[in-house]
C-alpha cells in the first residue's frame, strides 16, 4: 500500500491544482474576448487527475491526452508562459503557436500531444509503450481519455493489444459523465467504466 503523502507534497499538489484552475478560468476569459482563436475545452474540476498521475511519473515516461489537455500539460511541467503563448498562436509557444489549445505538445517533457479526435491519442501511447518495451528503457506511457472514448473501437483494440503484448501503458479515464453533449447514462450500459478492463485481463 502506498504511504500517504507528506504535508509538503500535499501542499505542492494543492498549489498545482489551484494554478491550473486559475489558468483555465483566465483562458476562458481570453477566449470569450476573442484573443484565443479556434476553440477551447477546459478541464475545470479535473485538476486532481492530472496532478496525481503526473506526480507518479519519471523522466522518460510519456503522456498523450485529449483536446481537453491544458491541465495535463501544466501538471507535467509545461510553463504557464509557454502554454499561454501557444494558446495565443505565438512563436514562443510550446509548439511554436501552431497547435493551439487542442494540440498542446512538448516532446521534451514527454507530452506527445493532445489530440482533437476522440480516442486517437490512445494508440499513440501504445506506440510509445511498445518503443519502451523494445528498447527496455523501463519507461511507461500514460494515456488520458474521457468516458466517451470508452465506447469507440480504438479504445477496445488498444486495451486488447496492450494486454496481449504486456505493454507498459496506463489507461486513465477522466470520467466527467458526458461524451461531448451526451450524458453517460444515455450511451453506456454500465456505470463503473473501470469494469471494462476485466474483459482484457487487466486491473481496473
Amino acid at each position: 500500500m502506498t504511504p500517504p503523502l507528506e504535508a509538503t507534497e500535499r501542499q505542492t499538489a494543492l498549489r498545482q491544482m489551484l494554478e491550473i484552475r486559475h489558468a483555465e478560468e483566465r483562458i476562458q476569459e481570453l477566449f470569450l474576448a476573442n484573443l484565443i482563436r479556434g476553440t477551447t475545452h477546459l478541464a475545470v474540476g479535473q485538476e486532481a487527475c492530472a496532478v496525481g498521475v503526473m506526480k507518479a511519473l519519471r523522466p522518460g515516461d510519456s503522456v498523450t491526452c485529449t483536446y481537453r489537455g491544458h491541465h495535463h500539460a501544466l501538471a507535467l511541467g509545461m510553463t504557464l508562459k509557454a502554454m499561454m503563448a501557444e494558446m495565443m498562436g505565438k512563436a514562443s509557444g510550446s509548439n511554436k503557436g501552431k497547435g493551439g489549445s487542442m494540440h498542446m505538445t512538448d516532446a521534451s517533457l514527454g507530452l506527445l500531444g493532445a489530440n482533437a479526435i476522440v480516442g486517437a491519442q490512445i494508440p499513440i501511447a501504445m506506440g510509445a509503450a511498445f518503443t519502451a518495451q523494445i528498447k527496455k528503457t523501463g519507461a511507461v506511457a500514460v494515456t488520458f481519455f474521457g468516458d466517451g472514448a470508452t465506447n469507440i473501437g480504438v479504445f477496445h483494440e488498444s486495451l486488447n493489444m496492450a494486454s496481449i503484448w504486456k505493454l507498459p501503458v496506463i489507461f486513465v479515464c477522466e470520467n466527467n459523465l458526458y461524451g461531448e453533449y451526451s450524458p453517460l447514462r444515455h450511451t453506456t450500459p454500465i456505470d463503473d467504466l473501470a469494469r471494462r478492463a476485466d474483459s482484457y485481463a487487466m486491473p481496473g
Side-chain angles (χ1 to χ4, degrees):
M1 185 164 183
T2 305
L5 298 177
E6 298 291 335
T8 54
E9 293 178 301
R10 294 198 303 271
Q11 290 169 350
T12 299
L14 178 60
R15 187 178 297 110
Q16 267 194 300
M17 289 189 284
L18 288 169
E19 287 173 352
I20 291 169
R21 174 66 64 93
H22 289 310
E24 291 285 68
E25 290 172 347
R26 182 62 178 141
I27 286 167
Q28 179 69 354
E29 292 171 3
L30 293 170
F31 175 70
L32 293 175
N34 202 32
L35 294 173
I36 292 177
R37 301 303 171 88
T39 189
T40 60
H41 297 83
L42 305 179
V44 171
Q46 296 178 200
E47 300 87 354
C49 292
V51 171
V53 171
M54 302 313 182
K55 180 173 175 37
L57 300 186
R58 301 163 301 182
D61 294 340
S62 58
V63 174
T64 65
C65 60
T66 71
Y67 47 75
R68 195 183 307 280
H70 311 149
H71 60 318
H72 302 125
L74 291 173
L76 194 54
M78 184 179 289
T79 66
L80 186 56
K81 186 174 182 178
M83 191 186 80
M84 293 304 286
E86 183 64 29
M87 302 281 287
M88 307 289 281
K90 296 185 176 182
S92 57
S94 63
N95 202 24
K96 303 189 184 311
K98 297 175 182 176
S101 171
M102 294 176 71
H103 298 282
M104 207 58 65
T105 305
D106 189 337
S108 69
L109 296 173
L111 182 60
L112 302 183
N115 205 296
I117 300 171
V118 173
Q121 72 281 5
I122 301 174
I124 296 171
M126 299 283 290
F130 191 38
T131 300
Q133 185 183 70
I134 290 172
K135 292 185 174 181
K136 297 180 170 55
T137 63
V140 300
V142 176
T143 183
F144 290 89
F145 49 89
D147 45 288
T150 69
N151 287 330
I152 66 174
V154 74
F155 167 80
H156 294 277
E157 292 166 6
S158 295
L159 264 69
N160 188 66
M161 183 177 286
S163 182
I164 291 170
W165 288 359
K166 309 299 182 199
L167 296 180
V169 58
I170 300 169
F171 300 91
V172 182
C173 181
E174 293 180 300
N175 184 358
N176 62 14
L177 304 179
Y178 273 82
E180 290 291 340
Y181 306 104
S182 302
L184 179 66
R185 65 183 179 276
H186 290 171
T187 61
T188 309
I190 58 174
D191 294 325
D192 182 5
L193 297 180
R195 286 175 48 203
R196 292 196 154 166
D198 296 344
S199 301
Y200 305 102
M202 61 174 68

